[in-house]
Amino acid sequence: MYRDPVESLEPLHDSRLAVTRTLRVGMIGIGTVGSGTFRVLARNQAEIAARAGRAIELVIVAARNLERAANILGGSVPLTADPMQVATHPEVDVVVEVAGGTGPALDWVLAAIAHGKHVVTANKALLAVHGARIFAAAREQGVVVAYEGAVAVSIPIVKALREGLAANRIEWVAGIINGTTNFILSKMRDEGLDFAAALAQAQALGYAEADPTFDIEGIDAAHKLTLLAANAFGMPLRFADAQVEGISGLQGIDVACAEQLGFRIKLLGVARRRAAGVELRVQPALVPADHLMAQVKGSMNAVMVKSDAAGLTMYYGAGAGSEQTASAVIADLVDVARLDGVDAAQHVPHLGFHAHATNALQVLPRAAVDTWHYLRVPVRGVSQIQAVTACLGEQKVPVRQVALAAERPGQGPQVLVLTGLVAQGTVDLAVHALQEHAAVAGAVTTLRVEELAG
């Protein structure tokens, strides 16, 4: 099979594509992602057409700043200041929405669908919050809503879950799915920066927005995790039920103590199937330092999937970037181009499972989630280790490792504890008991530990 003759692409360009109607694209937004999409479409048009089986042409663009947009497009594409004109344009087959937001963007997308147009979007917030409505409208109209660029940018994880792993029962999905926070955590570890200094560096380099709330508080990762969980388990979109904790309260001492114990801290999105439901959570967690996930540095992303047949698989790539996101957007356009003449019933389902087969799995409450935990307990003296472990024992928290933190300037003695598998509710009660204990000298810090084993 590897020695089959290779057919030249030239005849395909000259003849076969000529008889297939061009896929006409209207784009809303010409910022970072939109400009990257335009550049890649223009630069790789022959390659893209050869893969799609037809040419893909940008025929109209909506932009807030028409002068800036004209400079980017070089006068090659008509412009409008009205996104709804793109959404309803009679000469547009597919609308690419890369403007962002969950307000007007919803109106544009629904209008495009109502006019029988396919939609490609990189807007994870829009889909996590309004996806159920959008996908229902798309099914009714027989059109596609594609969103690979909304989840992990250059990593084709949506396609992997709903196509490459279609034979599998997915057990869990876990990943570093926000490049900004991974950059900050990498700086805190590698350069010993505190959170504020690492954030300032991220903003100076363009990795973080002026208002970084969605990133540092875990909201962006929760949007993406919501989409991953739906594709992994066939469950409805449950963004409102996700348990979300960011990294703004993370202290440098915990990054150092994690290293001392052989771990690194990463902001993880975790969706795990359990007998009683699904864990859906974003939180900073300790990962073993020798684990592949711990090696993901800077603004890179990585997603691991545990399934019954394929086993443990990992997907790694850029978590941000203009052309990196454009790569995913255009891959979706190629998929749409290939659907010409295909009955809507044969389309790949938007969330990986056909609507009639959706599994109404419930999200487990925070207190019921069982994981390992890390605790840092400030104590009044090094002799208080036994008092800490005794208190944890009284609260039914299993202890598998205890150590004293390495001395740090300005810090008193700190007891470090790694627990066994225990429910979050039990740990919360234990932390409350420790705070009331005479041996404890300050606030107790607790983080989950994720071993991500196969």
Side-chain angles (χ1 to χ4, degrees), residues 180-205 247-257 259 265 408:
T180 299
T181 50
N182 202 50
F183 177 87
I184 291 170
L185 291 172
S186 296
K187 288 295 179 180
M188 290 178 72
R189 173 188 175 268
D190 296 342
E191 300 180 16
L193 302 179
D194 62 19
F195 171 79
L199 171 59
Q201 193 171 126
Q203 289 172 317
L205 293 172
I247 64 169
S248 59
L250 188 66
Q251 300 181 53
I253 184 174
D254 292 303
V255 175
C257 288
E259 289 285 325
I265 297 178
R408 291 168 57 91

Side-chain angles (χ1 to χ4, degrees), residues 140-421:
E140 185 174 335
Q141 291 293 328
V143 299
V144 169
V145 176
Y147 53 91
E148 188 69 70
V151 179
V153 184
S154 67
I155 304 172
I157 186 60
V158 173
K159 187 176 289 291
L161 285 171
R162 70 184 186 188
E163 296 179 49
L165 296 173
N168 289 258
R169 185 179 193 273
I170 306 297
E171 298 177 19
W172 55 261
V173 180
I176 296 167
I177 47 180
N178 181 272
T180 299
T181 50
N182 202 50
F183 177 87
I184 291 170
L185 291 172
S186 296
K187 288 295 179 180
M188 290 178 72
R189 173 188 175 268
D190 296 342
E191 300 180 16
L193 302 179
D194 62 19
F195 171 79
L199 171 59
Q201 193 171 126
Q203 289 172 317
L205 293 172
Y207 288 112
E209 302 286 346
D211 180 0
T213 302
F214 263 43
D215 292 320
I216 65 174
E217 299 303 342
I219 300 166
D220 174 79
H223 287 147
K224 297 170 181 176
L225 184 67
T226 299
L227 294 166
L228 289 176
N231 278 281
F233 308 130
M235 63 185 287
L237 295 163
R238 301 280 194 200
F239 171 69
D241 297 328
Q243 296 136 37
V244 186
E245 179 185 349
I247 64 169
S248 59
L250 188 66
Q251 300 181 53
I253 184 174
D254 292 303
V255 175
C257 288
E259 289 285 325
Q260 178 184 333
L261 294 173
F263 293 85
R264 292 178 187 168
I265 297 178
K266 296 292 184 182
L267 183 72
L268 293 181
V270 179
R272 189 186 303 269
R273 190 197 300 262
R274 299 289 193 186
V278 170
E279 298 173 14
L280 190 66
R281 49 193 172 85
V282 172
Q283 79 280 307
L286 278 69
V287 178
D290 59 355
H291 195 284
L292 282 172
M293 195 68 77
Q295 312 310 313
V296 179
K297 298 181 179 180
S299 63
M300 302 302 284
N301 279 192
V303 180
M304 300 193 79
V305 182
K306 177 64 170 61
S307 54
D308 66 337
L312 193 62
T313 54
M314 182 170 177
Y315 310 82
Y316 172 88
S322 175
E323 294 197 359
Q324 290 85 349
T325 311
S327 172
V329 169
I330 296 169
D332 282 340
L333 286 174
V334 170
D335 279 349
V336 171
R338 291 168 173 167
L339 293 173
D340 190 40
V342 177
D343 186 90
Q346 302 305 312
H347 295 173
V348 176
H350 294 115
L351 293 170
F353 292 74
H354 286 282
H356 67 270
T358 299
N359 192 338
L361 293 169
Q362 298 302 307
V363 175
L364 294 175
R366 178 180 179 276
V369 173
D370 290 342
T371 59
W372 296 270
H373 289 80
Y374 153 95
L375 283 78
R376 177 174 57 83
V377 186
V379 291
R380 302 193 185 281
V382 295
S383 62
Q384 301 298 329
I385 291 179
Q386 188 173 355
V388 170
T389 57
C391 181
L392 291 173
E394 291 169 2
Q395 297 299 318
K396 310 301 182 186
V397 174
V399 173
R400 59 173 175 161
Q401 184 178 344
V402 181
L404 278 172
E407 292 186 14
R408 291 168 57 91
Q411 295 281 355
Q414 313 273 326
V415 175
L416 307 179
V417 178
L418 292 179
T419 77
L421 196 63

